[in-house]
């Protein structure tokens, strides 16, 4: 009782290998929607630069220190423009021929510009001002009556009609001097023809009758005369 003995050790059963605890699965993140690209807006085209961009280089009363170049203002008459440039008179927001720019930025400002031909529509004044530009020439405005046009021209009163014989786009409700339309004369009445009278038939001319000869017939032929002989000496 209570004695201990040596024996074979009992085989030991290894502890079971613990199974790894599965990691919780995480759902793949939802991909963000691809943003729709915004339409690109083209940069505005820059306004053309000098010398054809409208520029106010002189303002106020008086005469500019130097003649104004093309598309520059404010001019009062042609003498204030360089070379053969003319002062384009404006009474509102009229476009200036051959020039670019915002015409609303300086309404009623007059600019020096190039007039291509004498029949190109051109604003030279309004209500008789400036007086030096009146009477107006061919295709020039704004006239109010025929008296404001040069001889042989009339003032075409218009709303938005084309201007005959002129080149360019006319301004709305501006009146221009043009050639007067030729008038058709009344037809000349033809004279009433007089009745013709037949010429009288001439009387037949009788044949001339030969007059009888006055020489007698059977007249004896005279004998020839013989000269007397010359006597002997």
């Amino acid at each position: 009782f209570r004695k201990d003995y040596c024996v074979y050790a009992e085989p030991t059963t290894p502890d079971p290998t613990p199974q790894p605890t599965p990691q919780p699965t995480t759902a793949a993140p939802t991909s963000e929607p691809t943003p729709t690209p915004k339409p690109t807006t083209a940069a505005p085209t820059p306004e053309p630069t000098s010398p054809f961009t409208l520029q106010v280089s002189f303002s106020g009363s008086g005469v500019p220190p130097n003649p104004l170049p093309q598309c520059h203002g404010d001019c009062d008459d042609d003498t204030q423009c360089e070379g053969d440039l003319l002062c384009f008179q404006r009474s509102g927001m009229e476009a200036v021929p051959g020039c670019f720019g915002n015409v609303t930025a300086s309404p009623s400002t007059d600019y020096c510009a190039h007039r291509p031909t004498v029949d190109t529509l051109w604003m030279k004044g309004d209500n008789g001002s400036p007086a030096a530009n009146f009477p107006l020439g061919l295709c020039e405005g704004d006239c109010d009556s025929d008296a404001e046009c040069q001889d042989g021209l009339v003032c075409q009163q218009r709303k938005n009609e084309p201007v005959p014989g002129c080149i360019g786009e006319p301004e709305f409700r501006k009146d221009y001097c043009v050639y007067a339309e030729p008038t058709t004369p009344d037809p000349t009445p033809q004279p009433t023809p007089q009745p013709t009278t037949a010429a009288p038939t001439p009387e037949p001319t009788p044949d001339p009758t030969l007059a009888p000869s006055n020489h007698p017939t059977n007249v004896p032929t005279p004998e020839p005369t013989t000269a007397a002989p010359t006597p002997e000496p």
Side-chain angles (χ1 to χ4, degrees):
F1 182 72
R2 293 191 180 271
K3 297 297 183 181
D4 303 317
Y5 299 91
C6 294
V7 293
Y8 287 114
E10 294 181 0
T12 58
T13 303
D15 295 332
T17 304
Q19 296 296 323
T21 304
Q23 297 292 327
T25 58
T26 304
T30 304
S31 60
E32 294 290 333
T34 304
T36 303
K38 294 182 179 181
T40 57
T41 304
T45 303
E47 292 289 341
T49 57
S50 182
F52 304 114
T53 301
L54 293 173
Q55 299 182 41
V56 178
S57 57
F58 175 79
S59 61
S61 59
V63 180
N66 297 300
L68 298 172
Q70 187 171 1
C71 302
H72 284 233
D74 181 21
C75 57
D76 295 322
D77 56 56
D78 298 343
T79 62
Q80 298 180 358
C81 300
E82 285 183 350
D84 59 352
L85 298 177
L86 302 179
C87 185
F88 186 79
Q89 302 284 337
R90 304 168 66 236
S91 58
M93 293 181 289
E94 297 92 342
V96 182
C99 301
F100 304 94
N102 186 5
V103 294
T104 63
S106 54
S108 300
T109 297
D110 307 323
Y111 293 91
C112 294
H114 175 65
R115 187 180 187 186
T117 60
V118 294
D119 54 356
T120 298
L121 291 171
W122 200 260
M123 296 300 297
K124 293 275 288 189
D126 189 19
N127 294 325
S129 179
N133 290 349
F134 285 79
L136 300 172
L138 179 64
C139 302
E140 295 177 351
D142 180 21
C143 58
D144 296 317
S145 65
D146 295 348
E148 293 186 347
C149 298
Q150 296 177 4
D151 292 342
L153 304 177
V154 296
C155 184
Q156 183 202 17
Q157 303 287 337
R158 52 184 297 280
K159 292 183 179 179
N160 201 28
E161 302 90 339
V163 182
C166 299
I167 302 172
E169 188 68 23
E171 295 292 338
F172 182 68
R173 289 187 177 274
K174 297 296 182 182
D175 307 321
Y176 297 88
C177 294
V178 296
Y179 287 121
E181 293 184 2
T183 57
T184 304
D186 295 331
T188 304
Q190 297 294 327
T192 303
Q194 298 294 327
T196 57
T197 304
T201 304
E203 295 292 333
T205 303
D207 294 334
T209 304
L210 296 176
S213 174
N214 293 327
H215 296 290
T217 58
N218 301 323
V219 176
T221 302
E223 293 291 335
T225 58
T226 304
T230 303
E232 293 290 335

